[in-house]
């Protein structure tokens, strides 16, 4: 099997934190009209809506997805629609419905229409308390304790199944927390690492919902976008893994992030009031080993904690304070 080029792309979940920036990045590479953005209910920003096609769909309704794939002659789907870890614990059945029924629809459409590629990101939520917590290897124990994590492990397995059983070229990486300044994340456990910047700049105070010493793997958005484009374009001959690549860029505790922000905003004060998300964070590794991604498709991030913080403070201050 050799990789077919991606020409006309559909993105689900395109109003979300990663989806909204991924669509704009893909439009730069593949042309505005060749990247169809879809979302569920949230209104898309002007840039997303005006720069190319946008449609509202319910990913659980297969005909809606199929209709757009036919209408635009789509050959690739980036499946970004998902209910994240914290939101998923509030509504586990909805999390299963969106994440699993949505994914199987994407995979079935890809199989029937013989699409060139499906990109379906996984997450560090695939790991659990029994997983080694430091420098977690790619091949390891996957016994998550959240519904989101359950759907991510099942999604990895399902993607690999569709590859081996039906020859559908499905790929995905286990994303850590993603930090960005354009669209806020929603419903995740790593969301604190974005909220903290907004509050530091606007109010000089933040109450963190995780403990000060909670360490998690993280990545800045430019690296995240690069990981999507690079994995999607990697020659298939070089891939031994398909849907379960560990990827990471940095690991830090909530306290270490606060200290880094204080270098730019010395009056910034942080309090810690852990809630139900602490148990989720405690079940995830502190750092992960991404050597298969580095070896098989050349993964290499550009941003560490200090570069990311400097850029976030600069860009977000410009946006929030003008
Ligand atoms: C979450 O916190 O649920 C997500 C993730 C790590 O997948 N950001």
């Amino acid at each position: 099997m050799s990789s077919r080029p991606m020409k006309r792309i559909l993105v689900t979940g395109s109003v979300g934190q990663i989806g909204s920036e991924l669509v704009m990045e893909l439009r730069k590479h593949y042309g505005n009209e060749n990247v169809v953005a879809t979302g569920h209910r949230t209104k898309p920003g002007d840039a997303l809506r005006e720069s190319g096609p946008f449609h509202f769909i319910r990913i659980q309704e297969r005909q809606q997805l199929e209709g757009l794939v036919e209408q635009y002659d789509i050959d690739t789907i980036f499946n970004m629609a998902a209910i994240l870890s914290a939101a998923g614990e509030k509504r586990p059945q909805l999390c299963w419905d969106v994440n699993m029924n949505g994914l199987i629809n994407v995979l079935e459409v890809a199989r029937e229409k013989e699409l060139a590629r499906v990109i379906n990101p996984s997450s560090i939520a695939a790991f659990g308390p029994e997983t080694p917590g430091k420098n977690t290897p790619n091949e390891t124990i996957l016994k998550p304790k959240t519904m989101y994590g359950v759907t991510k492990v099942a999604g990895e397995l399902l993607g690999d199944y569709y590859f081996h059983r039906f020859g559908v070229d499905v790929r995905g990486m286990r994303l850590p927390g993603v930090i960005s300044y354009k669209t806020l994340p929603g419903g995740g456990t790593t969301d604190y690492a974005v909220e903290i910047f907004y509050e530091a700049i606007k109010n000089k105070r933040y109450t963190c919902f995780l403990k000060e010493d909670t360490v998690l793997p993280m990545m800045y958005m430019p690296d995240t976008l690069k990981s999507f484009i690079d994995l999607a374009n990697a020659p298939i001959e070089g891939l031994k893994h398909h849907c379960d690549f560990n990827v990471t860029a940095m690991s830090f505790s909530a306290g270490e992030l606060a200290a880094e922000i204080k270098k730019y905003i010395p009056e910034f004060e942080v309090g810690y009031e852990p809630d139900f998300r602490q148990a989720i964070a405690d079940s995830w590794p502190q750092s992960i080993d991404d050597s298969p991604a580095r070896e098989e498709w050349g993964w290499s991030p550009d941003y560490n904690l200090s570069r990311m913080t400097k850029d976030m403070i600069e860009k977000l201050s410009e946006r929030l304070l003008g």
Side-chain angles (χ1 to χ4, degrees):
M1 184 179 181
S2 60
S3 319
R4 278 155 53 208
M6 305 185 289
K7 292 192 179 131
R8 280 169 304 277
I9 298 168
L10 182 142
V11 181
T12 71
S14 75
V15 187
Q17 185 203 13
I18 305 177
S20 57
E21 293 203 39
L22 183 63
V23 166
M24 301 310 283
E25 187 68 17
L26 289 168
R27 284 182 176 161
K28 271 194 238 155
H29 289 256
Y30 296 93
N32 287 351
E33 293 310 310
N34 293 324
V35 181
V36 179
T38 68
H40 179 214
R41 257 198 233 135
T42 316
K43 217 172 138 243
D46 292 345
L48 191 77
R49 184 148 220 170
E50 284 158 18
S51 59
F54 178 89
H55 292 267
F56 283 112
I57 59 166
R58 243 184 120 247
I59 192 184
Q60 302 96 304
E61 308 285 339
R62 177 132 134 232
Q63 309 89 300
Q64 295 185 8
L65 193 65
E66 213 165 308
L68 288 179
V69 167
E70 280 167 13
Q71 183 183 339
Y72 290 95
D73 197 14
I74 296 295
D75 55 49
T76 300
I77 300 178
F78 283 73
N79 183 34
M80 307 306 296
I83 304 289
L84 302 186
S85 56
E89 287 317 283
K90 291 192 178 143
R91 301 186 67 188
Q93 292 80 5
L94 178 72
C95 180
W96 177 270
D97 187 29
V98 172
N99 298 9
M100 292 316 300
N101 292 329
L103 174 60
I104 196 110
N105 284 342
V106 167
L107 294 173
E108 272 299 280
V109 170
R111 179 179 71 83
E112 277 175 13
K113 308 270 176 218
E114 298 182 356
L115 300 193
R117 202 95 82 257
V118 171
I119 310 299
N120 184 59
S122 182
S123 160
I124 53 165
F127 303 122
E130 288 104 333
T131 308
K134 289 196 179 140
N135 210 23
T136 305
N138 217 97
E139 268 57 60
T140 189
I141 300 165
L142 300 175
K143 289 185 173 185
K145 297 292 177 273
T146 61
M147 180 56 98
Y148 174 60
V150 169
T151 67
K152 285 300 164 191
V153 174
E156 291 178 5
L157 294 172
L158 200 58
D160 281 349
Y161 176 79
Y162 267 69
F163 173 73
H164 292 293
R165 177 78 172 77
F166 301 120
V168 181
D169 184 352
V170 193
R171 305 175 183 193
M173 66 299 237
R174 294 178 181 141
L175 288 173
V178 173
I179 299 163
S180 65
Y181 59 88
K182 288 192 182 154
T183 308
L184 275 165
T189 302
T190 57
D191 294 8
Y192 93 85
V194 180
E195 288 172 12
I196 194 171
F197 282 98
Y198 279 74
E199 294 308 312
I201 292 168
K202 284 194 298 195
N203 302 320
K204 321 275 182 248
R205 291 191 60 82
Y206 178 61
T207 306
C208 183
F209 58 75
L210 297 182
K211 287 195 282 193
E212 187 172 4
D213 61 357
T214 308
V215 178
L216 289 169
M218 299 277 178
M219 191 187 287
Y220 197 31
M221 184 62 91
D223 281 329
T224 308
L225 299 178
K226 185 167 77 158
S227 76
F228 274 93
I229 307 273
D230 288 357
L231 175 58
N233 284 302
I236 196 155
E237 299 76 19
L239 301 184
K240 293 191 203 94
H241 298 79
H242 293 274
C243 298
D244 58 1
F245 284 102
N246 283 3
V247 286
T248 188
M250 60 189 104
S251 280
F252 53 75
S253 68
E256 282 164 344
L257 177 57
E260 196 64 31
I261 294 174
K262 271 192 200 199
K263 291 184 186 166
Y264 300 87
I265 308 173
E267 63 277 38
F268 180 43
E269 280 174 30
V270 192
Y272 298 90
E273 284 177 21
D275 66 13
F276 73 101
R277 289 168 282 194
Q278 185 64 49
I280 301 177
D282 289 342
S283 75
W284 293 350
Q286 300 190 351
S287 60
I288 61 177
D289 169 31
D290 56 9
S291 28
R294 289 172 185 267
E295 281 153 25
E296 293 175 40
W297 49 278
W299 164 243
S300 167
D302 293 323
Y303 288 86
N304 57 16
L305 174 60
S306 61
R307 282 199 70 196
M308 177 277 291
T309 305
K310 182 172 183 292
D311 203 61
M312 271 298 279
I313 300 267
E314 277 170 19
K315 302 275 174 39
L316 197 56
S317 303
E318 237 170 75
R319 269 197 60 209
L320 297 178
L321 310 175

